[in-house]
């Protein structure tokens, strides 16, 4: 059969693969995305993006659809022996701030999020190719050949495995996936139809010998996520999930008629897996999302870590593929993201322990898994070779770039920094009038890959920081003149003196790699 070609082949069409495909497509990179499934899944699975992933989705242009299709996290109602013990809203005190517009995660079924991302990808003329199972990989210095069932082949300059915890890409590469599986921590899950429970609450019935959790699926009339400790046989082995089993578990722990559950689909059994790939890159092939790391569901970081993997990798693949950066830039993907995954394993393991302790007592529930660490807003790359020395009173190179409300200097119309950052470009902020010459030089020398904004600086495209919110967010004093270069994934790349446009040019050529 003839061999088709692309610049980047993505294997797996979950949120990680779709995020990467959109990020590449909007940069005019030839991308194909395949999935072995014969049809798109309807599983609800992950419960939604955290605040950092919402920032990513805003940059990709889908935030309005995501917010409209989902809901804010619901208050949690905890029961013991079928009686209401407590109502808890772990986000009750959360408020958006000028530098972080999303103060809580968003509740949305994974299948609905994937629908939104596929629609966005289709706007760039790219569609997921279903029924395409990867069975072989071969690479040389210039390309990778992916072999599919049926004898088809796809040649690509790069391949990215976003194909989940059982990743065919990872297995074909022979990358170790070290870690452990806790057979004692098991759960049965599924999407159920139910009538009766209040859909404004996430119900959690915990007893000393197990529990049931029921969370309404936004956008459905009677759909719920069902999670429970499994039934066991006489030898103590978990029984597989089934509608009848769900009904028995519901009747046992909720003390409500099991017949309230009228349908159960997409059933699965879950065990706590904590595993991490020992490398994210083998030549021209990369791993992202669950293909690279799996961990406890406590804290809801699985899908989110994958989305943020893709956001980190996309711009690096694009700049390398187009010759704007040397191949060494791709090494920074593993350098930056593998430590984040290792830290995520630690966070989720600790949150699981805290939750298991909490539910031993009446009133304990899944709110114990929620901490600011699960928001993703504190993740940065200060250790990276892309983070040369440079800091302000608040930020260092490698940190997440904060948002801030400003105004268009010419029209006075409100404009957030995130609106200036949105898109596939670098952004250069010049705080103070002393940065105006460097902004002009950088904008002229790097047209098309960089946008320059003077923040109360004059010249270039201007932003007015009348309330000082931008200076405060970036830790820059009222009389300081400072250049701040923002990477396409909205992390701080460079903090430099007001006139140092040469440092900006060197960074855009990955000079940071040379100086680190």
């Amino acid at each position: 059969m003839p061999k088709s070609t692309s610049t980047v082949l993505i294997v797996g069409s979950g949120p990680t693969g779709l995020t990467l495909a959109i990020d590449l497509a909007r940069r005019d990179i030839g991308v194909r995305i395949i999935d072995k499934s014969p049809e798109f899944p309807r599983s609800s699975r992950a419960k939604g993006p955290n605040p950092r992933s919402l920032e990513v989705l805003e940059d990709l242009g889908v935030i309005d659809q995501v917010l409209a299709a989902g809901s804010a996290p619901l208050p949690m109602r905890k029961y013991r022996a079928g009686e209401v013990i407590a109502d808890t809203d772990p986000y009750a005190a959360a408020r958006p701030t000028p530098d972080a517009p999303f103060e809580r995660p968003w509740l949305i079924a994974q299948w609905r999020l994937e629908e939104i991302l596929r629609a966005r990808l289709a706007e760039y003329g790219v569609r997921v190719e279903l029924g395409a199972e990867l069975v072989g990989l071969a690479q040389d210095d210039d390309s990778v050949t992916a072999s599919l069932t049926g004898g088809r082949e796809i040649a690509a300059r790069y391949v990215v495995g976003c194909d989940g915890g059982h990743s065919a890409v990872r297995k074909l590469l022979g990358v170790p996936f070290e870690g452990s599986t806790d057979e004692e921590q098991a759960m049965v899950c599924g999407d159920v139809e139910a009538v009766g429970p209040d859909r404004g609450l996430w119900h959690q019935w915990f007893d000393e010998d197990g529990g049931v959790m029921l969370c309404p699926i936004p956008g459905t009339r009677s759909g719920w996520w069902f999670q429970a400790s499994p039934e066991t046989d006489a030898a103590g082995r978990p029984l597989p999930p089934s509608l009848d089993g769900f009904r028995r578990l519901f009747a046992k722990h909720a003390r409500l008629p099991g017949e309230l559950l009228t349908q159960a689909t997409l059933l699965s059994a879950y065990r706590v897996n904590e595993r991490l790939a020992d490398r994210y890159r083998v030549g021209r092939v990369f791993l992202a999302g669950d293909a690279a790391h799996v961990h406890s569901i406590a804290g809801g970081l699985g899908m989110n870590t994958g989305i943020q993997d893709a956001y980190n990798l996309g711009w690096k693949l694009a700049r390398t593929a187009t010759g704007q950066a040397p191949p060494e830039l791709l090494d920074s993907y593993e350098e930056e993201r593998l430590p984040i995954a290792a830290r995520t394993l630690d966070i989720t393991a600790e949150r699981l322990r805290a939750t298991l302790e909490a539910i031993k007592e009446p009133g304990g529930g899944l709110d114990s898994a929620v901490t600011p660490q699960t928001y993703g807003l504190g993740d940065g790359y200060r250790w990276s070779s892309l983070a040369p020395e440079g800091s302000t009173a608040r930020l260092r190179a490698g940190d997440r770039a904060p948002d801030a409300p400003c105004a268009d200097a010419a029209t006075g119309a409100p404009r957030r920094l995130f609106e200036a950052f949105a898109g596939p470009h670098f952004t250069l902020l010049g705080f103070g009038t002393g940065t105006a010459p460097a902004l002009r030089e950088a904008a002229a020398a790097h047209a098309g890959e960089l946008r320059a904004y003077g923040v109360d600086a004059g010249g270039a495209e201007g932003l007015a920081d009348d309330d000082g919110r931008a200076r405060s967010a970036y830790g820059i004093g009222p009389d300081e003149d400072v250049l701040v270069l923002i990477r396409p994934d909205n992390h701080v790349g460079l903090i430099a003196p007001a006139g140092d446009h040469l440092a900006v040019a060197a960074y855009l050529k990955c000079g940071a790699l040379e100086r680190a």
Side-chain angles (χ1 to χ4, degrees):
M1 296 184 101
K3 183 188 298 184
S4 56
T5 61
S6 62
T7 303
V8 179
L9 172 65
I10 298 170
V11 182
S13 65
T16 300
L18 290 168
T19 297
L20 180 59
I22 294 169
D23 201 24
L24 291 168
R26 69 175 180 164
R27 301 172 194 277
D28 295 321
I29 301 299
V31 60
R32 291 180 69 174
I33 178 168
I34 64 174
D35 200 292
K36 69 178 182 180
S37 298
E39 58 187 22
F40 296 120
R42 293 287 292 182
S43 172
S44 300
R45 289 182 289 178
K47 290 187 176 65
N50 66 9
R52 178 55 177 164
S53 290
L54 290 170
E55 294 178 356
V56 175
L57 296 170
E58 180 178 28
D59 185 29
L60 297 182
V62 297
I63 190 63
D64 290 342
Q65 297 95 310
V66 170
L67 295 179
S71 73
L74 301 174
M76 300 178 182
R77 174 159 290 178
K78 278 80 70 74
Y79 304 77
R80 200 72 163 195
E83 298 295 326
V84 176
I85 297 296
D87 287 349
T88 303
D89 183 353
Y91 305 103
R95 299 289 184 275
T97 60
D99 63 334
F102 304 107
E103 80 281 12
R104 64 190 68 202
W106 205 246
L107 198 63
I108 181 173
Q110 184 171 324
W111 61 264
R112 185 67 184 100
L113 175 61
E114 290 174 358
E115 282 186 342
I116 292 169
L117 292 173
R118 285 197 301 270
R120 180 61 168 160
L121 182 60
E123 293 176 14
Y124 296 102
V126 181
R127 287 175 169 79
V128 176
E129 301 171 42
L130 292 172
E133 183 174 1
L134 181 75
V135 294
L137 283 173
Q139 61 176 309
D140 55 30
D141 291 341
D142 300 313
S143 66
V144 187
T145 297
S147 300
L148 311 180
T149 53
R152 287 189 295 159
E153 291 185 337
I154 300 175
R157 291 180 62 187
Y158 303 99
V159 171
V160 185
C162 304
D163 50 342
H166 299 289
S167 170
V169 174
R170 188 188 64 244
K171 292 174 183 176
L172 289 167
L173 293 174
V175 172
F177 202 40
E178 301 296 338
S180 62
T181 299
D182 189 343
E183 299 291 345
E184 298 298 317
Q185 294 301 327
M187 183 183 296
V188 288
C189 313
D191 289 6
V192 303
E193 295 291 322
V195 292
D198 184 342
R199 290 185 63 83
L201 297 166
W202 185 349
H203 302 273
Q204 300 169 20
W205 293 273
F206 290 112
D207 296 316
E208 293 181 2
D209 59 346
V212 165
M213 293 158 280
L214 205 59
C215 181
I217 301 172
T220 65
R221 183 180 60 83
S222 56
W224 299 76
W225 286 292
F226 181 98
Q227 298 168 289
S229 48
E231 296 181 297
T232 57
D233 62 17
R237 293 183 296 262
L239 294 175
S242 67
L243 174 58
D244 286 341
F246 283 7
R247 285 172 166 170
R248 288 190 294 269
L249 288 166
F250 188 67
K252 175 182 178 181
H253 296 292
R255 274 69 167 180
L256 292 171
E259 290 69 25
L260 290 177
L261 308 185
T262 58
Q263 184 178 338
T265 58
L266 303 163
L267 308 182
S268 62
Y270 169 82
R271 289 175 177 79
V272 173
N273 272 304
E274 296 180 344
R275 297 183 184 276
L276 180 64
D278 74 348
R279 56 193 185 278
Y280 281 18
R281 179 187 185 188
V282 178
R284 291 178 169 271
V285 185
F286 300 81
L287 300 172
D290 286 355
H293 45 75
V294 294
H295 41 77
S296 160
I297 60 174
L301 291 175
M303 178 186 73
N304 288 290
T305 306
I307 287 173
Q308 292 152 37
D309 285 346
Y311 197 49
N312 182 284
L313 180 58
W315 69 275
K316 297 173 181 179
L317 275 174
R319 289 184 67 79
T320 303
T322 56
Q324 294 175 295
E328 290 77 15
L329 175 62
L330 295 174
D331 292 331
S332 69
Y333 168 62
E334 177 183 305
E335 177 191 13
E336 293 185 339
R337 293 304 299 173
L338 195 151
I340 294 293
R343 177 173 173 266
T344 299
L345 262 69
D346 291 340
I347 292 171
T348 56
E350 193 277 329
R351 288 297 90 202
L352 178 62
R353 286 192 294 270
T355 302
L356 292 174
E357 284 298 314
I359 64 176
K360 291 178 181 178
E361 300 296 330
L366 300 189
D367 49 308
S368 299
V370 178
T371 75
Q373 288 179 308
T374 63
Y375 290 16
L377 299 175
D379 291 340
Y381 313 119
R382 290 184 175 186
W383 60 83
S384 171
S385 57
L386 296 183
E389 290 186 8
S391 64
T392 67
R394 181 173 177 180
L395 293 179
R396 283 176 53 185
D399 289 350
R400 165 190 166 273
D403 194 11
C406 294
D408 185 288
T411 67
R415 191 167 194 202
R416 294 163 50 213
L417 288 185
F418 277 6
E419 292 173 327
F421 299 165
H425 55 271
F426 281 84
T427 305
L428 182 62
L429 300 178
F431 290 87
T433 56
T435 64
L439 290 172
R440 288 193 296 269
E441 289 280 353
H446 305 286
E449 62 176 329
L450 176 144
R451 293 182 185 174
Y453 296 89
V455 183
D456 293 334
E461 295 188 48
L463 296 171
D465 185 25
D466 295 335
D467 295 329
R469 298 281 183 83
R471 283 186 176 269
S472 175
Y474 283 74
I476 298 171
D479 300 321
E480 291 184 273
D481 290 359
V482 178
L483 293 171
V484 181
L485 182 67
I486 310 301
R487 300 173 5 172
D489 60 353
N490 293 3
H491 282 264
V492 176
L494 178 73
I495 299 171
D500 198 356
H501 68 90
L502 294 178
V504 175
Y507 192 96
L508 292 175
K509 294 179 181 178
C510 289
L513 292 166
E514 299 170 5
R515 294 197 305 273

